[in-house]
């Protein structure tokens, strides 16, 4: 059984009906976020790489057909039209690491209708989750104001894959490292880690624990100092580091309590004994809001370790994302249901100065006002061009972030820019709406009376 079965069942039932009806013409689906979460001034596009990997390898095999048949309580012969189906379509997407706004397509799929329909679940899952996490991580980088941020999210992430993605996306937006060894190894980013409170508790005293740890690990070490009394823990750590001449590059970690006040006291203690090069690392329930408060207070914290709240995007754990058909066999279509109206037709987004973006039809002339965001990343079911490196994605994000309006960068009460629709797109939407209204309001034909 392949990843083709990682799908909502209704995608299968619709695809079967399309095939039965001979509806295999080209369809375009657009994936976008309707509205940003209240405390987001922007989003960071992510997840397209996973989606492309999935589509590149998509093929319905015999075991997949049997799984579909079992789920539908039907004989497998009824599902045979799906056997061997592959994705042969085209994909345009906003490259990972680019900043995007509400209503802007992150990705558009054009493929034979059954294929485009079957792509929905996995593609929507990957872009929604990863864009949410990347956007949360990006706000931590903003809040830290130049201080290093590292990822500690694996232990409470929603599964190992989600933990891996949190590490990858954090690195994409500027994190300095991750505690996730698998992610660090696979991605070529620094692995970071210290010790747990259980390690300190396993020894008779903090000093024994710190000395044993230092004996085991040559070079700079980081000592967790808040197992019992934090200030005393800092004094003990300072004594051990000074005795062993292990100060430069070493650190103490604060994991609980009033981190700002404790950091100030720790800095004073370390400086007083001649250890100005020993850094202070803060962790323990941090996210961009807590980091912002600490930075603004002037707390002498050198590195921020963020975990659970960032790895699950705790304040905005989902996006109001959608994957909607916008064209079938050259006919523009749109959804009109209350509060969920979609724009018709394949589209392109043009990034203008200060993020006064314009959403145009894909074949509309841009008038030279901005550069297009969506790029062709797959043609005829195969990826086009090379796979961007993590460093290239990071550079792309940094450039976009530098141009973002100050109001959108705020951690609290951000104001997100809004993209506008071109006149051609607006006019098409009006025409399609009129057509749908005429069709749905036409009186039903009544049989003639005998």
């Amino acid at each position: 059984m392949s990843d083709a079965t990682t799908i909502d069942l209704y995608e299968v039932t619709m695809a079967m009906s399309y095939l039965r009806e001979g509806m295999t013409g080209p369809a375009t689906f657009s994936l976008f976020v309707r509205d940003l979460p209240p405390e987001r001034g922007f989003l960071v596009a992510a997840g397209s790489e996973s989606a492309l990997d999935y589509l590149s390898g998509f093929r319905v095999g015999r075991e997949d057909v049997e799984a579909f048949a079992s789920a539908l309580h039907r004989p497998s012969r009824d599902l045979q039209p799906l056997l061997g189906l592959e994705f042969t379509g085209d994909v345009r997407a906003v490259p990972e690491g680019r900043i995007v706004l509400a209503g802007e397509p992150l990705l558009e799929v054009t493929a034979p209708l059954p294929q485009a329909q079957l792509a929905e679940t996995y593609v929507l899952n990957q872009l929604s989750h990863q864009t949410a996490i990347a956007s949360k991580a990006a706000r931590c980088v903003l809040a830290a104001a130049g201080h290093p941020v590292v990822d500690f999210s694996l232990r409470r992430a929603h599964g190992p894959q989600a933990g891996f993605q949190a590490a990858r996306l954090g690195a994409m937006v500027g994190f300095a490292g991750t505690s996730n060894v698998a992610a660090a190894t696979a991605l070529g980013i620094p692995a970071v880690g210290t010790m747990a409170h259980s390690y300190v508790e396993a020894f008779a005293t903090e000093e024994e624990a710190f000395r044993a740890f230092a004996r085991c690990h040559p070079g700079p070490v980081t000592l967790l100092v808040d197992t019992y009394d934090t200030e005393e823990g800092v004094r003990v750590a300072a004594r051990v580091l000074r005795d062993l001449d292990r100060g430069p590059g070493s650190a103490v970690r604060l994991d609980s309590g009033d981190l700002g006040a404790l950091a100030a006291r720790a800095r004073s203690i370390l400086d007083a004994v001649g250890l100005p090069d020993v850094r202070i690392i803060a962790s323990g329930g941090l996210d961009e809001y807590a980091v912002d408060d600490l930075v603004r207070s002037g707390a002498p914290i050198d590195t921020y370790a963020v975990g659970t709240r960032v790895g699950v995007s705790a304040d905005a754990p989902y996006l109001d994302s959608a994957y909607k058909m916008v064209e079938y066999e050259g006919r523009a279509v749109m959804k009109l249901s209350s509060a969920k109206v979609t724009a018709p037709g394949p589209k392109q987004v043009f990034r203008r100065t200060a993020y006064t973006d314009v959403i145009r039809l894909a074949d509309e002339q841009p008038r030279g006002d901005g550069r297009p965001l969506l790029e062709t990343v797959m043609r005829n079911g195969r990826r086009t061009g090379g796979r961007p490196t993590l460093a290239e994605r990071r550079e792309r994000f940094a450039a976009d972030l530098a141009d973002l309006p100050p109001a959108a960068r705020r951690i609290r009460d951000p104001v997100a820019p809004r993209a506008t629709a071109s006149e051609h797109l607006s006019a098409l939407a009006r025409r399609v709406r009129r057509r749908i209204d005429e069709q749905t309001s036409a009186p039903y034909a009544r049989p003639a009376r005998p």
Side-chain angles (χ1 to χ4, degrees):
M1 196 166 64
S2 75
D3 283 344
T5 57
T6 305
I7 194 171
D8 291 311
L9 185 59
Y10 82 156
E11 314 287 10
V12 179
T13 60
M14 288 187 286
M16 282 295 299
S17 181
Y18 292 145
L19 290 169
R20 181 183 178 87
E21 299 298 322
M23 297 176 65
T24 58
T28 297
F29 283 74
S30 184
L31 192 158
F32 59 95
V33 177
R34 291 190 181 94
D35 292 295
L36 304 191
E39 287 299 305
R40 296 292 183 271
F42 62 92
L43 296 175
V44 180
S48 60
E49 290 297 319
S50 302
L52 293 176
D53 287 343
Y54 171 78
L55 294 175
S56 296
F58 184 90
R59 186 181 187 280
V60 179
R62 190 168 302 281
E63 290 185 353
D64 304 321
V65 168
E66 292 173 358
F68 294 149
S70 176
L72 290 168
H73 306 289
R74 297 176 63 176
S76 59
R77 64 175 178 272
D78 289 357
L79 281 295
Q80 288 303 303
L82 291 174
L83 182 62
L85 188 146
E86 297 180 333
F87 183 81
T88 61
D90 300 340
V91 178
R92 294 184 304 124
V94 176
E96 286 195 326
R98 298 226 61 175
I99 288 177
V100 292
L101 308 176
E104 298 182 342
L106 278 74
L107 174 146
E108 287 196 337
V109 171
T110 300
L113 179 55
Q115 299 177 24
Q117 191 70 68
L118 291 171
E120 176 178 7
T121 300
Y122 200 95
V123 169
L124 193 55
N125 171 280
Q126 292 299 300
L127 270 78
S128 298
H129 168 72
Q130 294 187 48
T131 297
I133 302 302
S135 304
K136 180 76 170 177
R139 283 165 51 82
C140 291
V141 172
L142 270 174
H147 296 281
V149 181
V150 296
D151 161 56
F152 276 14
S153 67
L154 177 59
R155 61 180 55 202
R156 295 195 183 100
H158 293 163
Q161 185 185 55
F164 183 96
Q165 291 298 351
R168 185 183 78 89
L169 298 167
M172 186 179 77
V173 299
F175 279 24
T178 178
S179 65
N180 187 333
V181 175
T185 303
L187 300 170
I189 58 179
V192 296
T194 58
M195 60 175 65
H197 294 104
S198 58
Y199 179 86
V200 178
E201 293 168 342
F203 291 83
T205 66
E206 276 185 312
E207 183 162 348
E208 288 183 38
F210 294 164
R211 289 185 182 277
F213 194 78
R215 284 195 297 270
C216 182
H217 301 287
V221 292
T222 298
L223 306 176
L224 179 62
V225 295
D226 73 330
T227 303
Y228 305 118
D229 177 272
T230 301
E231 289 192 30
E232 182 59 26
V234 175
R235 293 189 183 93
V236 173
R239 182 166 62 248
V240 170
L241 293 174
R242 188 179 55 186
D243 289 351
L244 300 177
D245 193 22
R246 302 283 285 278
S250 292
V252 296
R253 178 161 72 96
L254 308 172
D255 191 53
S256 60
D258 185 339
L259 295 176
L262 290 171
R265 186 63 187 138
R267 184 75 274 154
S268 177
I269 293 170
L270 293 168
D271 289 349
V273 296
L275 294 174
D277 294 329
V278 172
R279 297 170 296 115
I280 298 174
I281 299 172
S283 60
L286 297 181
D287 61 6
E288 73 268 39
Y289 301 106
V291 172
D292 185 57
D293 288 341
L294 288 165
V295 170
R296 289 180 181 277
S297 73
I301 294 170
D302 299 287
T303 299
Y304 293 92
V306 298
T308 303
R309 294 179 182 275
V310 177
V312 301
S313 188
D315 66 318
Y318 69 93
L319 297 176
D320 184 19
S321 51
Y323 179 90
K324 298 299 179 185
M325 185 192 293
V326 295
E327 185 178 82
Y328 179 57
E329 290 190 324
R331 173 174 57 89
V333 298
M334 64 187 295
K335 181 179 177 181
L336 293 182
S337 57
S338 178
K340 291 188 176 181
V341 176
T342 59
K347 289 171 282 293
Q348 179 60 272
V349 181
F350 290 91
R351 172 62 40 83
R352 301 172 67 188
T353 304
Y355 284 73
T356 53
D357 295 1
V358 178
I359 305 174
R360 299 186 181 276
L361 295 171
D363 58 359
E364 188 179 342
Q365 293 300 315
R367 300 180 184 176
D369 56 350
R371 48 200 175 100
L373 292 192
L374 279 81
E375 301 176 0
T376 298
V377 292
M378 178 173 283
R379 194 174 294 282
N380 299 324
R382 296 293 175 262
R383 296 180 66 125
T384 60
R387 188 187 297 264
T389 66
L390 189 58
E392 288 171 338
R393 296 179 194 131
R394 188 183 300 119
E395 290 174 5
R396 184 183 292 144
F397 165 73
D400 273 11
L401 187 66
D403 292 336
L404 193 67
R409 297 165 60 100
R410 291 201 299 253
I411 302 303
R412 288 179 170 81
D413 302 319
V415 179
R418 296 288 300 188
T420 59
S422 72
E423 179 52 38
H424 288 289
L425 176 56
S426 299
L428 176 62
R430 290 192 294 268
R431 292 198 300 272
V432 174
R433 181 186 288 270
R434 281 197 302 269
R435 185 188 73 207
I436 295 172
D437 287 343
E438 290 169 359
Q439 292 171 343
T440 56
S441 63
Y444 291 106
R446 296 178 180 177
R449 292 181 179 180

